[in-house]
């Protein structure tokens, strides 16, 4: 797979518009354009690059990273996105751990109402989790590429367990995401990962 180019879009507020400065591979200098809304910045920058390089749009295999010129705002945005990402990961971890525990207790013969009582949830929610677990197991069994022997409950739970130092895990995870990036890429990387998690393309904490 060929390496994707990266173009930087630095945005500044200007009388109800966003003034954009676009720079990146192949451009002899930074170029300026403007948009009314930030969500239009990538499309505008892509059109500008296509024009400056005199190529067809499908020839541009690149990422467009948007940041703001105000460093104080950029820092505040990064801190907030990191906090939201950590919260998303906590919710994801809680969901994985709950589903694993519900499945384990069901295998031990606990009825739905007892499981619900022990975990502080309704027996209907317990039933829903078990149904989802059965569907996931069936889907995995039908996929030859992912078929494997079922793990014993303890090993399955061990795989889900986080390190005791949750804060350290989050920090290492977030550093992996952002520390190696230049400042103008951090916000886009964090936003992209947040979108992946929110739309079900889940990454387990234990993969970090």
């Amino acid at each position: 797979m060929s390496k994707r180019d990266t173009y930087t879009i630095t945005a500044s507020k200007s009388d109800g518009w966003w003034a954009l400065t676009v720079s990146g591979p192949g451009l002899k200098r930074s170029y300026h354009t403007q948009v009314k809304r930030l969500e239009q910045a990538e499309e505008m920058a892509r059109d500008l690059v296509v024009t400056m390089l005199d190529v067809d749009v499908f020839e541009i295999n690149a990422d467009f990273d948007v940041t703001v010129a105000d460093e104080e705002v950029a820092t505040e945005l990064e801190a907030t996105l990191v906090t939201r990402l950590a919260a998303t990961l906590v919710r994801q971890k809680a969901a994985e751990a709950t589903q694993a525990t519900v499945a384990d207790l069901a295998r031990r013969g606990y009825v739905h109402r007892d499981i619900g009582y022990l975990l502080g949830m309704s027996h209907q929610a317990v039933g829903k989790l078990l149904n989802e677990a059965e569907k996931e197991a069936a889907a995995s069994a039908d996929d030859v590429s992912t078929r494997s022997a079922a793990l014993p409950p303890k090993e399955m739970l061990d795989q889900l367990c986080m390190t005791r130092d949750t804060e350290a895990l989050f920090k290492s995870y977030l550093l992996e995401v952002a520390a190696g990036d230049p400042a103008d890429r951090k916000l886009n990387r964090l936003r992209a990962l947040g979108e992946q998690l929110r739309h079900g393309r889940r990454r387990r904490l234990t993969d970090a």
Side-chain angles (χ1 to χ4, degrees):
M1 180 183 296
S2 61
K3 183 178 179 181
R4 291 171 64 87
D5 290 329
T6 299
Y7 291 90
T8 299
I9 308 168
T10 304
S12 304
K13 287 288 289 181
S14 178
D15 296 327
W17 289 75
W18 284 96
L20 307 179
T21 301
V22 183
S23 59
L27 298 178
K28 296 180 181 179
R29 58 178 177 83
S30 297
Y31 288 88
H32 304 280
T33 185
Q34 62 181 9
V35 291
K36 193 68 175 175
R37 298 186 303 277
L38 273 180
E39 63 188 28
Q40 302 167 329
E42 180 176 338
E43 182 179 358
M44 180 64 75
R46 188 179 297 274
D47 289 343
L48 185 150
V49 170
V50 166
T51 301
M52 293 299 103
L53 299 185
D54 192 23
V55 297
D56 291 326
V57 66
F58 64 82
E59 296 181 57
I60 301 298
N61 180 33
D63 294 316
F64 288 79
D65 291 339
V66 180
T67 188
V68 290
D70 188 325
E71 291 186 7
E72 184 177 346
V73 172
T75 300
E76 182 179 354
L77 287 170
E78 181 184 347
T80 299
L81 287 168
V82 166
T83 302
R84 292 177 61 189
L85 176 58
T88 300
L89 293 171
V90 168
R91 290 193 297 270
Q92 177 182 318
K93 182 60 194 176
E96 291 175 351
T98 300
Q99 187 174 60
T101 300
V102 165
D104 183 48
L105 293 178
R107 278 191 293 270
R108 294 172 184 271
Y110 287 58
V111 299
H112 289 194
R113 289 186 181 277
D114 289 341
I115 295 173
Y117 174 78
L118 291 170
L119 290 174
M121 57 196 300
S122 70
H123 67 89
Q124 293 94 335
V126 169
K128 182 178 179 182
L129 283 178
L130 290 173
N131 287 336
E132 290 174 354
E134 290 176 2
K135 290 178 181 178
E136 290 177 5
S140 297
D142 289 340
D143 186 348
V144 175
S145 64
T146 61
R147 188 174 299 159
S148 60
L151 291 174
K154 185 178 185 307
E155 289 186 30
M156 180 183 66
L157 291 171
D158 287 343
Q159 285 192 354
L160 287 171
C161 286
M162 289 194 297
T163 176
R164 291 180 182 276
D165 191 349
T166 305
E167 183 178 359
L169 176 62
F170 282 152
K171 285 182 178 179
S172 65
Y173 186 86
L174 296 171
L175 285 173
E176 175 194 341
V177 171
D181 297 334
D184 57 14
R185 297 201 66 189
K186 286 185 179 181
L187 299 184
N188 268 44
R189 293 287 299 277
L190 289 167
R191 280 194 295 266
L193 183 54
E195 284 295 311
Q196 291 175 1
L197 292 171
R198 281 194 295 276
H199 288 85
R201 297 187 291 278
R202 302 184 350 180
R203 179 177 179 182
R204 291 159 56 102
L205 285 171
T206 44
D207 292 337

